[in-house]
Structures are given as C-alpha cells and as structure tokens.
Amino acid sequence: MEIKVEQCKVRKEKPDFSKLGFGKYFTDHMFIMQYSDTEGWHDAKIVPFGYIPIHPASTVLHYGAEIFEGMKAYKTADGFQLFRPLENFKRLNDSAERLCLPKVDEEFTLKALIELIKLDYDWIPESVGTSLYIRPFMFGNDESLGVHAVHNATFVIILSPVGSYYAEGLSPVKIIIENEDVRAVRGGTGYAKCGGNYAASMRAGKRAAEKGFSQVLWLDGVERKYIEEVGAMNVMFKINGEIITPVLTGSVLPGITRKSCIEMLKSWGYKVSERLLSVDELIGAAENGTLDEAWGTGTAAVVSPIGNLNYKDKNHIVSDNKIGPLTQKLYDELTGIQWGLKPDPYGWCVKVKM
Ligand code: PLP
Ligand code: COI
C-alpha cells in the first residue's frame, strides 16, 4: 500500500528538551490509515499532527474498542534506532485479536513508522534519559450503536519527545499494593494493551496519588493474593539471590522490557523464576530482610527502582530506598543498548540511517 505524505506548512516551535516530562508534546506529523471490512486497510497517509474528526456514535466512544502500543526511538550518531519494534506490532495484533479489531501488517506498519520518524527526525531529543516516545493506537470506528465486532477501524501513530516517565527519574518510586480494586482477571483483557484496562485502574491510581504513591501494584483479580504488575510496568524482585517475576497468567501485560530483562539476567547467570508470587511471600521477604531489590520494567518506565512497598497501610522500605546494584546494572545495560552506546548482542535494535 502506498503511503501518501502531506507535510505541514509551518513546523511547530520545539519545547525545551531539558524539561520534557512524559507525553506532553507532539511532533509535526502523524500517520493514519482506515480499515473497513470491504476495503481492508486503506488510505494510509502521513499528515500534519491534528484533531481526528469522529462520529458521535463511533464504537470507541461507547464501547471502548481501543488498543495501543508504547515504544521508543533513540537518536544515534548517524540516525536513530528502534527497540524491538516488531514485538510491539505483534502485541498490537494480539490485542486486536482479543478486542475483535482488525490486525495490521506488521512489516508495513514498521515501514510507515520509520517514514514518519524520518520526517520528524529533529524532534528526537538527544540528551541522556530522553527519547522519542511512539504511540501507535487503533480504535473501532463504526458509526452505529450496535454492540458487535467492528467493521471499521482507524489506526494512528503519534510521536512525543519524552524525558523520564516518573517525576522521580531514576530515584526509587513509592508503590502501594492495591487491596480493593482489581485491574484485570484471567479470561478478561489484562494481557491486551487496551484503553479499558487503564480506565479501570484510574480510581486506585487516584487514591494512591492522594496518599503520595506513584503507582499501584495490582494483585490477581480472583484471589487477590498474587502479585501481578504495576500500572505502567511489570515488576521483578530479587529475593535470596533469585529473581522472581509474576508469570504471565493472562491478566498481566507481556512486557517487552520484561522479556528483554529476563534474557539479560539469564545471560548473566541469574536464576530467573517466572512464577506465582503471593503478596504474603513478598511482604514476608521484605520483613525478614531477604528482599534485596525490587524494580519495574516498561518502555516508558525503563527500569525503575522501587524503594517503598506499602501494603495494608504499612511501608516496607526496599534497598534502603536506593537503587540496588542489579537494578542499576539492568538500567545501564538496557539503556546502553537502546541508546546505541553499547553493543547489541541480542540484535534487538532496528537501526535507521538518515
Ligand atoms: N504493564 C503495563 C500495564 C503497561 O502499561 C506496560 C507498558 O507498556 C508494561 C507492563 C510494560 O510493557 P513494555 O515493557 O512492553 O513497555
Ligand atoms: C509504555 O510504557 O509504553 C506504556 O504504555 C505505559 C503507559 C504510559 C500507559
């Protein structure tokens, strides 16, 4: 399929790249294409960044038929590179399958993304800790109120230069273990990256923020016993020298950073167990001093140390509320590969020359 390009007439003024935060600024262009059962994906184009007109009965506005991805581009000496982009498009298609949205052609979508970034190349920030965040998303767009698998959809990619996701940067974050609300259940949409999962998490997130916590750590939705993941990242714990991360039960997002960290940790000789980890075991380890380190992994969050785990109104300080040595090593190795500053023995990066 051909990608039409309509360039913007006037380029926007760039924000101060030293004060980006997360997801507040958007580049000059976006990619958009349409789907219908009769035509398949069509009308692929790169257009000036702007509003998307939407019918008031559009499926997404009523029934939440929306999925998205989060990935990053990093500036290199001679262009830019993407971290495991096809993994993201594969996961987008897994989410699409769950929500009865149409699948995309992964290679074509990557090609469209690369074309878009080339056009907005000067929006990729270069200083340490910054990158160009990429948000592909798709929504069901039937102009009718019937509840059924959609016949029409829209796929968009927008780009946002970002700094650190957490205001804390690489300082440890404070996490509260949620006892009341649940994010997802097995058989539901937890493994899919769909907007509804995040909508369901807002109430607990708001309560957490009011108490001074950065994010919520979710327990499983059935027994409320097992650790699942944090609002925007998967979690890992070093207990008695072993690395433990919740097994992908169907209600946890299969994070690409998680998968990459597991590969790195195994290659360094660590025992990594993907298994059920009960909150009692975790808190027990925090109390008896065997919980050495805790961290989250995610595209936006990268590798984020967890310094405080609150459960049932009690704070449990991890690693003296400092970044632990293994968390630091993971952060350094991962970002070294992502920023193109270290060798990429796994072949994870897709390099693009400008
Ligand atoms: N879990 C949730 C709920 C997320 O939103 C994210 C972010 O994408 C992750 C985990 C981490 O996934 P990834 O490493 O693919 O970014
Ligand atoms: C990401 O890490 O890409 C995410 O999607 C997290 C988020 C901001 C919801």
Side-chain angles (χ1 to χ4, degrees), residues 91 183 193 198 229 231-234 253 255-257 297-299:
R91 187 171 65 188
R183 173 188 175 272
K193 205 161 166 63
Y198 297 79
E229 64 181 320
M233 52 189 196
N234 296 108
L253 190 82
I256 294 152
T257 322
T297 64
T299 300

Side-chain angles (χ1 to χ4, degrees), residues 22 68 70-71 133 135 165 193 198 232 298-301:
F22 182 82
F68 68 96
M71 51 213 284
Y133 185 75
R135 174 53 64 88
Y165 182 64
K193 205 161 166 63
Y198 297 79
T299 300

Side-chain angles (χ1 to χ4, degrees), residues 88-353:
N88 289 89
F89 291 127
K90 187 180 164 302
R91 187 171 65 188
L92 182 83
N93 278 339
D94 292 341
S95 303
E97 195 279 332
R98 179 64 184 85
L99 274 89
C100 284
L101 285 162
K103 291 193 178 179
V104 295
D105 178 321
E106 293 160 21
E107 294 287 347
F108 171 78
T109 314
L110 177 58
K111 190 179 129 205
L113 170 63
I114 290 173
E115 241 188 85
L116 176 66
I117 299 176
K118 280 185 170 171
L119 202 56
D120 284 350
Y121 176 70
D122 55 356
W123 281 88
I124 310 179
E126 350 195 355
S127 57
V128 172
T130 63
S131 55
L132 187 70
Y133 185 75
I134 301 160
R135 174 53 64 88
F137 62 101
M138 186 198 299
F139 54 93
N141 205 5
D142 283 355
E143 298 178 357
S144 124
L145 296 177
V147 181
H148 48 66
V150 296
H151 305 295
N152 296 275
T154 300
F155 174 79
V156 188
I157 307 176
I158 56 176
L159 308 174
S160 172
V162 298
S164 174
Y165 182 64
Y166 293 114
E168 291 92 330
L170 201 53
S171 302
V173 290
K174 292 169 72 180
I175 302 282
I176 186 164
I177 301 177
E178 173 65 25
N179 232 354
E180 238 172 88
D181 290 359
V182 295
R183 173 188 175 272
V185 290
R186 261 160 273 164
T189 54
Y191 71 88
K193 205 161 166 63
C194 63
N197 289 342
Y198 297 79
S201 73
M202 303 284 181
R203 184 170 71 173
K206 182 166 177 270
R207 282 196 300 246
E210 282 162 5
K211 291 184 186 167
F213 292 90
S214 312
Q215 282 209 3
V216 165
L217 177 54
W218 298 102
L219 298 179
D220 78 277
V222 180
E223 296 181 73
R224 304 202 190 177
K225 182 174 168 189
Y226 298 105
I227 302 293
E228 296 235 301
E229 64 181 320
V230 171
M233 52 189 196
N234 296 108
V235 280
M236 297 188 176
F237 305 95
K238 182 163 174 261
I239 300 177
N240 263 335
E242 177 191 359
I243 316 303
I244 304 168
T245 190
V247 62
L248 300 175
T249 49
S251 46
V252 174
L253 190 82
I256 294 152
T257 322
R258 173 189 181 278
K259 182 170 164 175
S260 309
C261 286
I262 291 173
E263 279 185 57
M264 287 195 293
L265 287 161
K266 284 189 175 165
S267 80
W268 298 336
Y270 282 96
K271 180 175 176 215
V272 184
S273 305
E274 295 179 63
R275 65 165 171 89
L276 292 176
L277 172 67
S278 73
V279 62
D280 289 344
E281 182 183 347
L282 177 63
I283 296 302
E287 284 178 342
N288 70 22
T290 53
L291 173 61
D292 296 330
E293 296 182 41
W295 64 91
T297 64
T299 300
V302 195
V303 172
S304 279
I306 298 173
N308 183 348
L309 277 171
N310 181 287
Y311 184 52
K312 295 188 174 166
D313 290 329
K314 196 169 166 206
N315 287 321
H316 300 272
I317 302 299
V318 188
S319 281
D320 290 330
N321 201 23
K322 297 193 185 88
I323 182 165
L326 186 57
T327 312
Q328 182 75 58
K329 183 174 176 186
L330 267 176
Y331 177 86
D332 291 342
E333 284 296 319
L334 182 70
T335 53
I337 293 171
Q338 290 173 331
W339 297 339
L341 302 174
K342 289 196 175 194
D344 174 15
Y346 311 93
W348 283 336
C349 296
V350 171
K351 295 181 197 304
V352 181
K353 283 209 169 94

